[in-house]
């Protein structure tokens, strides 16, 4: 069975969760609970480019907020 995440010819979406983390996701699979579509159906390469340009801080949003509170 082929891994659907490695299929360069398939359509993908980019998902985002409450912690602002991104995920490449095959468009043919249901979006898991707790995730929303941040970038609609597109090629794998374009979705990866979207992730690379929009998810520049890998820290979860909760950690960013906690660090901001301690900096005050």
């Amino acid at each position: 069975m082929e891994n659907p995440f490695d299929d360069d010819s398939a359509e993908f979406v980019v998902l985002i969760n409450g912690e602002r983390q991104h995920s490449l996701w095959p468009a043919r699979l249901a979006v898991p609970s707790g995730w929303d579509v941040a970038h609609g159906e597109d090629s794998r390469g374009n979705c990866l480019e979207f992730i690379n340009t929009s998810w520049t801080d890998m820290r979860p949003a909760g950690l960013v907020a906690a660090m901001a509170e301690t900096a005050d």
Side-chain angles (χ1 to χ4, degrees):
M1 179 177 199
E2 182 179 322
N3 182 341
F5 292 88
D6 293 333
D7 185 357
D8 285 329
S9 65
E11 292 288 304
F12 288 84
V13 296
V14 176
L15 304 181
I16 191 166
N17 66 16
E19 288 290 334
R20 309 299 297 165
Q21 297 166 313
H22 291 56
S23 178
L24 178 68
W25 195 256
R28 64 186 171 100
L29 299 179
V31 174
S33 177
W35 293 83
D36 296 304
V37 175
H39 181 80
E41 286 190 34
D42 207 341
S43 69
R44 186 175 191 275
N46 286 344
C47 286
L48 289 173
E49 180 63 26
F50 177 84
I51 290 170
N52 287 333
T53 58
S54 63
W55 190 25
T56 57
D57 187 344
M58 298 295 144
R59 298 174 299 167
L63 176 60
V64 172
M67 291 176 74
E69 287 177 13
T70 60
D72 292 337

